[in-house]
Structures are given as structure tokens and as C-alpha cells.
């Protein structure tokens, strides 16, 4: 350990994938890093902003895949900072929206390390923007709920029926992350509080050239995802704002939901 100089740690949101959606502050932080701990969903093109002398460590964190244990990542961050390194923990989307950023900040602070957080554009926002639709609208949505479809082990998870009832009554858009693997359970719950004709958008690989998306309704959601073979990572947006998508009228004119090309 460097006895004279302690390093620092910055949690940086790398955004949804498109490297042009990085903030200027994120670019500066990446460029100044001597050590980068990089999540799986971070686009490799983002690392072009890193110093050639920086040490890059890929610490996979992805639903349904083998992941680097969180305790190991926490230990690596703390040790690197204590060794005097300028550490950037690079995370897909935003560190504080289902990125476990809150947990990492707590561990760093407990170790006596001050940490800065640089926000990134979350995929729920980027995915809808790519369709030309908003998440809120004065007539259709008075607010938006970001919710995970992946419950912590031992946790019963979200009460989808109750959430759907609240969303219907309060005119809220639902943005569901990590929901594809539990889609049947989620859709069954949502149908207890929302009409089957509620518009839904599914966006896979938001903002990337390989983005795929489909417009459908809540009643046809499971069939659409299976038919079009949409997979993780995907964002599922439920609510009337989906009608603002550029291709929504085209969707209505067809007898079955169809995939839309980016």
C-alpha cells in the first residue's frame, strides 16, 4: 500500500451502449483512470477513452450468466484505492438504477473511501427515445416507475397485480428491467390491474446498431416476445405513452404484432 497517497474511486455510468451517449464528465473520468473495473454490458467502444496505460479488468455482471461475485469486486475496488490508484467502476446505464451502485458506495464508505458517482443514460429512457416515444406525457402518463423483474434470492419480488392497479389509477408508465426470463409471471400479474389492450414496447440492446424492438399489447406480450425471439438484455415499457412510437399506427394496421427494425 502507498502510505503517502490514497487513490480515489468513481462510479461511472457508461450509458445504454451507444458511446456517443456518454457524458463529458464520464469521458474525463474514464480518461483519468489508472484502473477500470468494467461490467459486461459496457460497450467496448467506450474504452477508447481510457488511457493506454490503464489496467482494465472485466468483472462480468449480467442476469442469467456467470458473474463475478460482488464481494470480490468490492474488495478489488478498495484495495486498488488503498494502493493509490485512480479507480473507475464502469457500469452499463446508470450506476444508481439497478446497477448495484448503492451497495458499492456503502462498502467504499465503510472502508473510509469517499466516492464520486457520474450518472449515465439508463436503457429504459434510451430505448423509448429510439422509438420516438416519451416516458411521460401530460395526457397519458403523470409519472414513470422503474422496476426490476429479477427478484433478489429469497425475496418474493414485486406484487405485479398491485403495481398494475396503481399504474392504472395514477396513469403511470412502467419500465421493467431484467424481466424477460419471468415474463409470463409478470404479464399475468399486470393483467390483473391493466387492460389487455394496454400498449407495450420491448426493446433489446437499446441504442446499439443491433437493437431489435417490437410493439404489442399487454395481452399479446408473451406471444410477441416468443415469436420474435427477443431476449435479454431487453427493456419492457408498459403504458399509453407507447402509442407515441413512430411505428405505432403501422402496428395497429396489422393483424399481429410485428418486429420493428431500428
Amino acid at each position: 500500500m502507498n502510505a503517502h497517497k490514497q487513490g480515489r474511486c468513481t462510479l461511472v455510468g457508461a450509458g445504454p451502449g451507444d458511446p456517443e451517449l456518454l457524458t463529458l464528465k464520464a469521458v474525463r473520468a474514464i480518461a483519468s483512470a489508472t484502473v477500470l473495473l468494467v461490467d459486461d454490458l459496457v460497450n467496448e467502444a467506450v474504452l477508447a477513452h481510457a488511457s493506454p496505460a490503464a489496467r482494465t479488468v472485466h468483472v462480468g455482471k449480467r442476469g442469467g450468466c456467470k458473474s463475478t461475485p460482488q464481494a470480490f469486486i468490492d474488495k478489488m475496488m478498495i484495495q486498488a484505492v488503498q494502493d493509490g490508484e485512480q479507480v473507475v467502476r464502469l457500469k452499463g446505464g446508470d450506476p444508481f438504477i439497478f446497477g448495484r451502485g448503492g451497495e458499492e458506495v456503502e462498502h467504499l464508505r465503510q472502508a473510509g473511501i469517499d466516492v464520486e458517482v457520474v450518472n449515465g443514460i439508463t436503457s429504459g429512457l434510451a430505448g423509448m427515445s429510439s422509438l420516438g416515444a416519451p416516458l411521460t406525457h401530460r395526457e397519458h402518463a403523470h409519472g414513470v416507475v422503474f422496476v426490476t423483474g429479477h427478484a433478489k434470492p429469497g425475496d418474493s419480488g414485486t406484487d405485479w397485480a398491485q403495481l398494475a392497479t396503481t399504474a392504472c389509477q395514477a396513469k403511470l408508465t412502467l419500465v421493467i428491467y431484467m424481466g424477460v426470463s419471468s415474463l409470463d409471471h409478470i404479464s399475468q400479474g399486470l393483467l390483473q390491474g391493466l387492460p389487455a389492450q394496454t400498449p407495450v414496447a420491448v426493446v433489446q440492446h437499446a441504442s446499439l446498431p443491433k437493437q431489435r424492438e417490437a410493439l404489442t399489447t399487454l395481452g399479446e406480450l408473451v406471444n410477441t416476445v416468443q415469436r420474435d425471439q427477443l431476449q435479454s438484455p431487453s427493456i419492457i415499457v408498459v403504458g399509453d405513452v407507447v402509442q407515441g412510437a413512430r411505428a405505432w399506427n403501422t402496428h395497429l394496421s396489422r393483424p399481429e404484432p410485428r418486429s420493428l427494425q431500428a
Side-chain angles (χ1 to χ4, degrees):
M1 174 178 172
N2 186 331
H4 305 289
K5 179 182 178 183
Q6 177 164 291
R8 59 178 299 176
C9 186
T10 306
L11 271 59
V12 176
D18 182 351
E20 293 190 355
L21 293 178
L22 283 170
T23 65
L24 293 175
K25 193 168 187 178
V27 170
R28 286 196 294 268
I30 293 167
S32 67
T34 60
V35 174
L36 294 110
L37 304 180
V38 185
D39 272 353
D40 271 356
L41 291 179
V42 173
N43 190 336
E44 284 290 320
V46 169
L47 299 179
H49 297 288
S51 166
R55 179 163 62 96
T56 301
V57 182
H58 292 273
V59 286
K61 277 287 178 188
R62 190 166 179 176
C65 301
K66 185 177 180 180
S67 297
T68 305
Q70 186 63 47
F72 181 75
I73 296 173
D74 294 337
K75 184 177 180 180
M76 286 183 66
M77 285 192 293
I78 293 169
Q79 186 62 59
V81 171
Q82 291 175 342
D83 288 343
E85 303 284 2
Q86 303 298 303
V87 180
V88 163
R89 175 76 171 100
L90 199 54
K91 308 171 80 68
D94 184 278
F96 279 175
I97 299 183
F98 306 121
R100 302 186 75 166
E103 298 172 39
E104 294 181 352
V105 166
E106 289 173 2
H107 280 91
L108 289 161
R109 287 175 179 166
Q110 288 170 4
I113 297 170
D114 193 23
V115 56
E116 182 180 6
V117 177
V118 178
N119 296 115
I121 295 175
T122 184
S123 56
L125 176 59
M128 279 296 277
S129 295
S130 74
L131 302 181
L135 287 177
T136 62
H137 190 287
R138 287 197 300 173
E139 294 183 11
H140 302 304
H142 297 161
V144 57
V145 176
F146 295 103
V147 59
T148 177
H150 181 69
K152 181 181 179 180
D155 191 328
S156 59
T158 300
D159 185 335
W160 296 104
Q162 181 60 58
L163 179 59
T165 299
T166 301
C168 186
Q169 293 173 345
K171 298 180 72 170
L172 303 176
T173 302
L174 302 180
V175 181
I176 305 170
Y177 292 67
M178 298 172 282
V180 172
S181 62
S182 304
L183 192 57
D184 189 58
H185 170 70
I186 292 171
S187 63
Q188 287 182 27
L190 293 178
L191 284 167
Q192 294 183 50
L194 285 166
Q197 65 269 26
T198 302
V200 179
V202 184
V203 184
Q204 180 180 349
H205 296 302
S207 84
L208 291 171
K210 60 183 177 180
Q211 175 176 313
R212 299 176 63 229
E213 63 270 353
L215 299 178
T216 185
T217 61
L218 186 56
E220 285 293 326
L221 175 57
V222 173
N223 289 337
T224 300
V225 169
Q226 291 176 347
R227 180 189 307 120
D228 295 343
Q229 298 183 329
L230 293 165
Q231 300 174 345
S232 297
S234 289
I235 293 296
I236 302 162
V237 182
V238 181
D240 288 341
V241 291
V242 174
Q243 297 173 82
R246 287 184 295 267
W248 181 253
N249 289 333
T250 302
H251 157 74
L252 288 179
S253 69
R254 297 178 64 87
E256 295 183 348
R258 70 182 185 95
S259 290
L260 307 171
Q261 298 303 316

